[in-house]
Amino acid sequence: MMFGQVLHHQGREEDLINLNVGGIQHKVERCVLLRFPNTRVGQLIQCCSDAAILELCDDYSPTEREYYFDRSPQVFHCVLNFYRTGHFHALEEMCVFYFSQEIEYWGICELDLEACCLDWFLERKQNACDRSSSGASSGEISVVSSDLWRFEGTWCSDVRKLMWQTLEDPSHSKCSKGVAVVSVLVILTSIVAMCVHSMPEFRHATDSEYSVLDSLELICIIFFSVEFSLRVVASPRPWKFLANPLNMIDIASILPFYVTLAFESLDKEDGEENQSLVNMGKVVQVLRLMRAFRVLKLARHSEGVRAFGETLKNCQSEVGLLILFITVGISFFSTFIYYTEKEEALSKLSSIPVCWWWAIISMTTVGYGDVYPQTAAGRIVATLCILCGLLVLSLPITIIMNTFSKYFERNTPRRRLSEAKP
């Protein structure tokens, strides 16, 4: 018999309860188990029939008055210590989910853990939940691998599978790495061309001529269009292809060019100047602004950009709380500064909407200096506004940065492992 298989207690034999957990026998006094009558063992010894007993344990021997449980004996040692001492501690070497399931079986809540164990237990459990929930969404490579089986039995399955891995998994082959490098270069070229085209010396051109930048823009759009079309054709689930945020970014970066081209062709067909053409020109200008979405295409090849998006996704409540705090502070201090400055003739804080702008740049510690208080009372309110802004911004930012750091801690080993695979 192993050490600790039988716990000897002084007292009458009829007052002892025989428990067999995972092959290890325990003799425990009835009064000890009744300290927590709402737990599984506490309810078990209060049962009056064999049927009720068998609902709470795996087997029962009436002759030996022994209850059998096919559960972890290591966890039951912690549970038994909880009955005897009233202090509940966790096992650091055990999986937090397994430990949580075991103590839930015995009718004990994980919040009953002592303070020395509760903090690290909940933190490890939350980290494990974050890793499991973001495993599919945060790693592009894992998504690609999980979708390969969907090509079986489809048309041109081998060709489409090769296209899918080449376009979606840069670590698949040298060709896929080359495609990723070319894609990044084209994205950067498109961004540089858009920036250079805004310069006055490159912006003015006649209607009949096309500059080198326009030709470069056309080449980039053709590349983006071909790349997106190949992704759609190679996708194992085309009907769910657009649900991916990266694919939505691709559409937002390509579509404005073709819509602008259509509007410009209509403008050339109708040479008369009318209000509809003026409005059409305004729409074209707005669509040209949407070319800025091409910057987000780097998220397909940049771990940092994906980390930023994943952080905002996982910290929606914290970001919402930050916006709420700033909104409340802006409303509060804009009203205060207005009533302290409205009597001052030199002050530009003449209305509460103007004070909103001042409160925004003050709480975010930007301080343009275009609007500022003139009175002593106004300067005191401004000081409080700035200090409050520092406090409000610092509270949720820590949580957001921790989430950002945890993302990299989870994905850096996975990325290195995938790159090391042949």
Coordinates of all heavy atoms in Angstrom, one line a residue, residues 76-136:
F76 N -8.1 15.4 -5.8 CA -8.9 15.1 -4.6 C -8.1 15.4 -3.3 O -8.7 15.7 -2.2 CB -9.4 13.7 -4.6 CG -10.4 13.4 -3.5 CD1 -11.7 13.9 -3.5 CD2 -10.0 12.6 -2.4 CE1 -12.6 13.7 -2.4 CE2 -10.9 12.3 -1.3 CZ -12.2 12.9 -1.4
H77 N -6.8 15.3 -3.3 CA -6.0 15.6 -2.2 C -6.2 17.1 -1.8 O -6.3 17.5 -0.6 CB -4.6 15.4 -2.5 CG -4.2 13.9 -2.2 ND1 -4.2 13.4 -1.0 CD2 -3.7 13.0 -3.1 CE1 -3.8 12.1 -1.0 NE2 -3.5 11.8 -2.3
C78 N -6.3 18.0 -2.8 CA -6.6 19.4 -2.6 C -8.0 19.6 -2.0 O -8.2 20.4 -1.1 CB -6.4 20.2 -3.9 SG -4.8 20.1 -4.6
V79 N -9.0 18.8 -2.6 CA -10.4 18.9 -2.1 C -10.5 18.4 -0.7 O -11.1 19.1 0.1 CB -11.3 18.1 -3.1 CG1 -12.7 18.0 -2.5 CG2 -11.2 18.6 -4.5
L80 N -9.8 17.3 -0.4 CA -9.8 16.8 1.0 C -9.2 17.8 2.0 O -9.7 17.9 3.1 CB -9.2 15.4 1.0 CG -9.3 14.6 2.3 CD1 -10.7 14.4 2.7 CD2 -8.5 13.3 2.2
N81 N -8.1 18.4 1.5 CA -7.5 19.4 2.4 C -8.4 20.6 2.7 O -8.4 21.2 3.7 CB -6.2 19.9 1.8 CG -5.4 20.8 2.7 OD1 -4.9 20.5 3.7 ND2 -5.4 22.1 2.2
F82 N -9.3 20.9 1.7 CA -10.3 21.9 1.8 C -11.3 21.6 2.9 O -11.7 22.4 3.7 CB -10.9 22.2 0.5 CG -11.9 23.3 0.5 CD1 -11.7 24.6 1.0 CD2 -13.2 23.0 0.0 CE1 -12.6 25.6 1.0 CE2 -14.2 24.0 0.0 CZ -13.9 25.3 0.5
Y83 N -11.7 20.3 2.9 CA -12.7 19.9 3.9 C -12.1 19.9 5.3 O -12.7 20.3 6.2 CB -13.1 18.4 3.6 CG -14.2 18.3 2.5 CD1 -13.8 17.7 1.3 CD2 -15.5 18.7 2.7 CE1 -14.8 17.6 0.3 CE2 -16.4 18.5 1.7 CZ -16.0 18.0 0.5 OH -17.0 17.9 -0.5
R84 N -10.8 19.5 5.4 CA -10.2 19.4 6.7 C -9.8 20.7 7.3 O -9.9 21.0 8.5 CB -9.0 18.5 6.6 CG -9.4 17.0 6.3 CD -8.2 16.2 5.9 NE -7.2 16.2 7.0 CZ -6.0 15.8 6.9 NH1 -5.5 15.5 5.7 NH2 -5.2 15.8 8.0
T85 N -9.3 21.7 6.4 CA -8.7 22.9 6.9 C -9.5 24.2 6.6 O -9.3 25.2 7.2 CB -7.2 23.1 6.4 OG1 -7.3 23.2 5.0 CG2 -6.4 21.9 6.8
G86 N -10.3 24.0 5.5 CA -11.0 25.2 5.1 C -10.2 26.1 4.1 O -10.7 27.1 3.7
H87 N -9.0 25.6 3.8 CA -8.1 26.4 2.9 C -8.0 25.6 1.6 O -7.6 24.4 1.6 CB -6.8 26.7 3.5 CG -6.9 27.5 4.8 ND1 -7.2 28.8 4.8 CD2 -6.7 27.1 6.1 CE1 -7.2 29.2 6.0 NE2 -6.9 28.2 6.8
F88 N -8.2 26.2 0.4 CA -8.2 25.5 -0.9 C -7.0 26.1 -1.7 O -6.9 27.3 -2.0 CB -9.5 25.8 -1.6 CG -9.7 24.9 -2.8 CD1 -9.2 23.6 -2.8 CD2 -10.4 25.4 -3.9 CE1 -9.3 22.8 -4.0 CE2 -10.5 24.6 -5.0 CZ -10.0 23.3 -5.1
H89 N -6.1 25.2 -2.1 CA -5.0 25.6 -2.9 C -5.0 24.8 -4.2 O -5.5 23.7 -4.3 CB -3.7 25.3 -2.1 CG -3.5 26.1 -0.9 ND1 -3.1 27.4 -0.9 CD2 -3.9 25.8 0.4 CE1 -3.1 27.9 0.4 NE2 -3.6 26.9 1.2
A90 N -4.3 25.4 -5.2 CA -4.3 24.7 -6.6 C -3.0 24.1 -6.8 O -2.0 24.3 -6.1 CB -4.6 25.8 -7.7
L91 N -2.9 23.2 -7.8 CA -1.7 22.5 -8.2 C -1.1 23.2 -9.4 O -1.7 23.3 -10.5 CB -2.0 21.1 -8.6 CG -2.6 20.2 -7.5 CD1 -3.0 18.8 -8.0 CD2 -1.6 20.0 -6.4
E92 N 0.1 23.8 -9.3 CA 0.7 24.6 -10.3 C 1.1 23.7 -11.5 O 1.1 24.2 -12.7 CB 1.9 25.3 -9.8 CG 1.6 26.4 -8.8 CD 2.8 27.2 -8.4 OE1 3.8 27.2 -9.2 OE2 2.8 27.9 -7.4
E93 N 1.4 22.5 -11.3 CA 1.9 21.6 -12.4 C 0.7 21.1 -13.3 O 1.0 20.4 -14.3 CB 2.7 20.5 -11.9 CG 1.9 19.4 -11.0 CD 1.8 19.8 -9.6 OE1 2.2 21.0 -9.2 OE2 1.3 19.0 -8.8
M94 N -0.5 21.3 -12.9 CA -1.7 20.7 -13.6 C -2.3 21.8 -14.5 O -2.2 23.0 -14.3 CB -2.7 20.2 -12.6 CG -3.8 19.4 -13.2 SD -4.8 18.6 -12.0 CE -3.7 17.4 -11.4
C95 N -2.9 21.3 -15.6 CA -3.6 22.2 -16.5 C -4.7 22.9 -15.8 O -5.5 22.3 -15.0 CB -4.1 21.4 -17.7 SG -5.3 22.3 -18.8
V96 N -4.9 24.2 -16.0 CA -5.9 25.0 -15.3 C -7.3 24.5 -15.7 O -8.2 24.5 -14.8 CB -5.7 26.5 -15.6 CG1 -4.4 27.0 -14.9 CG2 -5.6 26.8 -17.0
F97 N -7.5 24.2 -16.9 CA -8.8 23.7 -17.4 C -9.2 22.4 -16.8 O -10.3 22.2 -16.3 CB -8.9 23.7 -18.9 CG -8.8 25.0 -19.6 CD1 -7.7 25.4 -20.3 CD2 -9.9 25.9 -19.5 CE1 -7.7 26.6 -20.9 CE2 -9.8 27.1 -20.1 CZ -8.7 27.5 -20.8
Y98 N -8.2 21.5 -16.7 CA -8.4 20.2 -16.1 C -8.7 20.3 -14.6 O -9.7 19.7 -14.1 CB -7.2 19.3 -16.3 CG -7.4 17.9 -15.8 CD1 -8.2 17.0 -16.3 CD2 -6.6 17.5 -14.6 CE1 -8.4 15.7 -15.8 CE2 -6.8 16.2 -14.1 CZ -7.6 15.3 -14.7 OH -7.8 14.1 -14.1
F99 N -7.9 21.1 -14.0 CA -8.2 21.4 -12.5 C -9.5 22.0 -12.3 O -10.2 21.6 -11.3 CB -7.0 22.2 -12.0 CG -7.1 22.4 -10.5 CD1 -6.5 21.5 -9.6 CD2 -7.7 23.5 -9.9 CE1 -6.6 21.6 -8.3 CE2 -7.7 23.7 -8.5 CZ -7.2 22.7 -7.7
S100 N -9.9 22.9 -13.1 CA -11.2 23.6 -13.0 C -12.4 22.6 -13.2 O -13.4 22.6 -12.5 CB -11.3 24.8 -14.0 OG -12.5 25.4 -13.8
Q101 N -12.2 21.7 -14.2 CA -13.3 20.7 -14.4 C -13.4 19.7 -13.2 O -14.5 19.3 -12.8 CB -13.0 19.9 -15.7 CG -13.1 20.8 -16.9 CD -12.6 20.1 -18.2 OE1 -12.2 18.9 -18.1 NE2 -12.8 20.7 -19.3
E102 N -12.2 19.4 -12.7 CA -12.3 18.4 -11.6 C -12.9 19.0 -10.3 O -13.8 18.4 -9.7 CB -10.8 18.0 -11.2 CG -10.2 17.0 -12.2 CD -10.9 15.7 -12.2 OE1 -11.2 15.1 -11.1 OE2 -11.3 15.2 -13.3
I103 N -12.5 20.2 -9.9 CA -13.1 20.8 -8.7 C -14.6 21.2 -9.0 O -15.4 21.2 -8.0 CB -12.4 22.1 -8.3 CG1 -12.4 23.2 -9.4 CG2 -10.9 21.7 -8.0 CD1 -11.8 24.5 -8.9
E104 N -15.0 21.4 -10.2 CA -16.4 21.6 -10.5 C -17.2 20.3 -10.3 O -18.3 20.4 -9.8 CB -16.6 22.1 -12.0 CG -18.0 22.4 -12.3 CD -18.1 22.9 -13.8 OE1 -17.1 23.0 -14.5 OE2 -19.3 23.1 -14.2
Y105 N -16.6 19.2 -10.6 CA -17.2 17.9 -10.4 C -17.5 17.7 -8.9 O -18.5 17.2 -8.5 CB -16.4 16.8 -10.9 CG -16.8 15.4 -10.5 CD1 -17.9 14.8 -11.2 CD2 -16.3 14.7 -9.4 CE1 -18.3 13.5 -10.9 CE2 -16.7 13.4 -9.1 CZ -17.7 12.9 -9.8 OH -18.2 11.6 -9.5
W106 N -16.5 18.1 -8.0 CA -16.7 18.0 -6.6 C -17.6 19.0 -6.0 O -17.8 19.0 -4.8 CB -15.3 18.0 -5.9 CG -14.5 16.8 -6.3 CD1 -13.3 16.8 -7.1 CD2 -14.6 15.4 -6.0 NE1 -12.8 15.6 -7.2 CE2 -13.6 14.7 -6.5 CE3 -15.6 14.7 -5.2 CZ2 -13.5 13.3 -6.4 CZ3 -15.5 13.4 -5.1 CH2 -14.5 12.7 -5.7
G107 N -18.0 20.0 -6.8 CA -19.0 21.0 -6.3 C -18.3 22.2 -5.6 O -18.9 22.8 -4.8
I108 N -17.0 22.4 -6.0 CA -16.2 23.5 -5.4 C -16.0 24.5 -6.5 O -15.6 24.2 -7.6 CB -14.9 23.0 -4.8 CG1 -15.2 21.9 -3.7 CG2 -14.1 24.1 -4.2 CD1 -14.0 21.3 -3.1
C109 N -16.1 25.8 -6.1 CA -15.9 26.9 -7.1 C -14.4 27.3 -7.1 O -13.8 27.3 -6.0 CB -16.8 28.1 -6.8 SG -16.6 29.5 -7.9
E110 N -13.9 27.7 -8.2 CA -12.5 28.1 -8.3 C -12.3 29.4 -7.5 O -11.1 29.7 -7.1 CB -12.1 28.3 -9.7 CG -12.9 29.2 -10.5 CD -12.5 29.2 -12.0 OE1 -12.1 28.2 -12.5 OE2 -12.7 30.3 -12.6
L111 N -13.3 30.1 -7.3 CA -13.2 31.4 -6.5 C -13.0 31.1 -5.0 O -12.6 32.0 -4.2 CB -14.4 32.2 -6.6 CG -14.7 32.8 -8.0 CD1 -16.0 33.6 -8.1 CD2 -13.5 33.6 -8.5
D112 N -13.1 29.8 -4.6 CA -12.8 29.4 -3.2 C -11.3 29.2 -3.0 O -10.9 29.0 -1.8 CB -13.5 28.1 -2.9 CG -15.0 28.2 -2.8 OD1 -15.5 29.3 -2.4 OD2 -15.7 27.3 -3.2
L113 N -10.5 29.4 -4.1 CA -9.1 29.3 -3.9 C -8.6 30.4 -3.0 O -9.1 31.5 -3.0 CB -8.4 29.4 -5.3 CG -8.5 28.1 -6.2 CD1 -8.0 28.5 -7.6 CD2 -7.7 27.0 -5.6
E114 N -7.5 30.1 -2.3 CA -6.9 31.1 -1.5 C -6.3 32.2 -2.3 O -6.0 32.0 -3.5 CB -5.8 30.5 -0.6 CG -6.3 29.5 0.4 CD -7.2 30.2 1.5 OE1 -6.8 31.2 2.0 OE2 -8.3 29.6 1.7
A115 N -6.1 33.4 -1.7 CA -5.6 34.5 -2.5 C -4.2 34.2 -3.1 O -3.9 34.8 -4.2 CB -5.5 35.7 -1.6
C116 N -3.4 33.4 -2.5 CA -2.1 33.1 -3.0 C -2.1 32.3 -4.3 O -1.2 32.3 -5.1 CB -1.2 32.4 -2.0 SG -2.0 30.8 -1.4
C117 N -3.2 31.6 -4.5 CA -3.4 30.8 -5.7 C -4.4 31.3 -6.7 O -4.3 31.0 -7.9 CB -3.8 29.4 -5.3 SG -2.6 28.4 -4.3
L118 N -5.3 32.1 -6.2 CA -6.4 32.6 -7.1 C -5.9 33.5 -8.2 O -6.3 33.3 -9.4 CB -7.5 33.3 -6.3 CG -8.7 33.8 -7.1 CD1 -9.4 32.7 -7.7 CD2 -9.6 34.6 -6.1
D119 N -5.0 34.4 -7.9 CA -4.5 35.4 -8.9 C -3.8 34.7 -10.1 O -4.2 34.9 -11.3 CB -3.6 36.4 -8.3 CG -4.4 37.3 -7.3 OD1 -5.6 37.4 -7.4 OD2 -3.7 37.9 -6.4
W120 N -2.8 33.9 -9.8 CA -2.1 33.3 -10.9 C -3.0 32.2 -11.6 O -2.8 32.0 -12.8 CB -0.8 32.6 -10.4 CG -0.9 31.4 -9.5 CD1 -0.8 31.4 -8.2 CD2 -1.2 30.1 -9.9 NE1 -1.0 30.2 -7.7 CE2 -1.2 29.3 -8.7 CE3 -1.4 29.4 -11.1 CZ2 -1.5 27.9 -8.7 CZ3 -1.6 28.1 -11.1 CH2 -1.7 27.3 -9.9
F121 N -3.9 31.6 -10.9 CA -4.8 30.6 -11.5 C -5.7 31.3 -12.6 O -5.8 30.8 -13.7 CB -5.6 29.9 -10.5 CG -6.5 28.8 -11.0 CD1 -6.1 27.5 -11.2 CD2 -7.8 29.1 -11.3 CE1 -6.9 26.6 -11.7 CE2 -8.7 28.2 -11.8 CZ -8.2 26.9 -12.0
L122 N -6.3 32.4 -12.2 CA -7.2 33.1 -13.1 C -6.4 33.7 -14.3 O -6.9 33.7 -15.4 CB -8.0 34.2 -12.4 CG -9.0 33.7 -11.3 CD1 -9.7 34.9 -10.7 CD2 -10.0 32.8 -12.0
E123 N -5.2 34.2 -14.0 CA -4.4 34.7 -15.1 C -3.9 33.7 -16.1 O -4.0 33.9 -17.3 CB -3.1 35.4 -14.5 CG -2.3 36.1 -15.5 CD -1.1 36.8 -14.9 OE1 -1.0 36.7 -13.6 OE2 -0.3 37.4 -15.6
R124 N -3.5 32.5 -15.6 CA -3.1 31.4 -16.5 C -4.3 31.0 -17.3 O -4.2 30.6 -18.5 CB -2.5 30.3 -15.7 CG -1.1 30.5 -15.3 CD -0.6 29.4 -14.4 NE -0.7 28.1 -15.1 CZ -0.4 26.9 -14.5 NH1 0.1 26.9 -13.2 NH2 -0.5 25.8 -15.2
K125 N -5.5 30.9 -16.7 CA -6.7 30.5 -17.4 C -7.1 31.5 -18.5 O -7.5 31.1 -19.6 CB -7.8 30.3 -16.4 CG -9.1 29.6 -16.9 CD -10.1 29.3 -15.9 CE -11.3 28.6 -16.5 NZ -12.3 28.3 -15.4
Q126 N -7.0 32.8 -18.1 CA -7.3 33.8 -19.1 C -6.3 33.7 -20.3 O -6.7 33.9 -21.5 CB -7.3 35.2 -18.5 CG -7.7 36.3 -19.4 CD -9.1 36.2 -19.9 OE1 -10.0 35.8 -19.2 NE2 -9.3 36.5 -21.2
N127 N -5.1 33.5 -20.0 CA -4.1 33.4 -21.1 C -4.3 32.2 -22.0 O -4.2 32.3 -23.2 CB -2.7 33.4 -20.5 CG -2.3 34.7 -19.8 OD1 -2.8 35.7 -20.1 ND2 -1.3 34.6 -18.9
A128 N -4.7 31.1 -21.4 CA -5.0 29.9 -22.1 C -6.2 30.2 -23.0 O -6.3 29.7 -24.2 CB -5.2 28.7 -21.2
C129 N -7.2 30.9 -22.5 CA -8.4 31.2 -23.3 C -8.1 32.1 -24.4 O -8.6 31.9 -25.5 CB -9.5 31.8 -22.4 SG -10.3 30.7 -21.2
D130 N -7.2 33.0 -24.2 CA -6.8 34.0 -25.3 C -6.1 33.2 -26.4 O -6.3 33.5 -27.6 CB -6.0 35.1 -24.7 CG -6.7 36.0 -23.8 OD1 -8.0 36.0 -23.9 OD2 -6.1 36.7 -23.0
R131 N -5.2 32.3 -26.0 CA -4.5 31.5 -27.0 C -5.4 30.6 -27.8 O -5.2 30.5 -29.0 CB -3.4 30.7 -26.3 CG -2.2 31.4 -25.8 CD -1.1 30.5 -25.5 NE -1.4 29.6 -24.4 CZ -1.1 29.9 -23.1 NH1 -0.6 31.0 -22.8 NH2 -1.5 29.0 -22.2
S132 N -6.4 30.0 -27.2 CA -7.3 29.1 -27.9 C -8.2 29.9 -28.8 O -8.6 29.4 -29.9 CB -8.0 28.2 -26.9 OG -8.8 29.0 -26.0
S133 N -8.7 31.1 -28.3 CA -9.6 31.8 -29.1 C -9.0 32.5 -30.3 O -9.7 32.7 -31.3 CB -10.3 32.9 -28.2 OG -9.4 33.8 -27.7
S134 N -7.7 32.9 -30.2 CA -7.1 33.6 -31.3 C -6.2 32.7 -32.1 O -5.5 33.1 -33.0 CB -6.2 34.7 -30.7 OG -5.2 34.2 -29.9
G135 N -6.2 31.4 -31.8 CA -5.3 30.5 -32.6 C -5.6 30.4 -34.0 O -4.8 30.4 -34.9
A136 N -7.0 30.5 -34.4 CA -7.3 30.4 -35.8 C -7.3 31.7 -36.5 O -7.0 31.8 -37.7 CB -8.7 29.8 -35.9

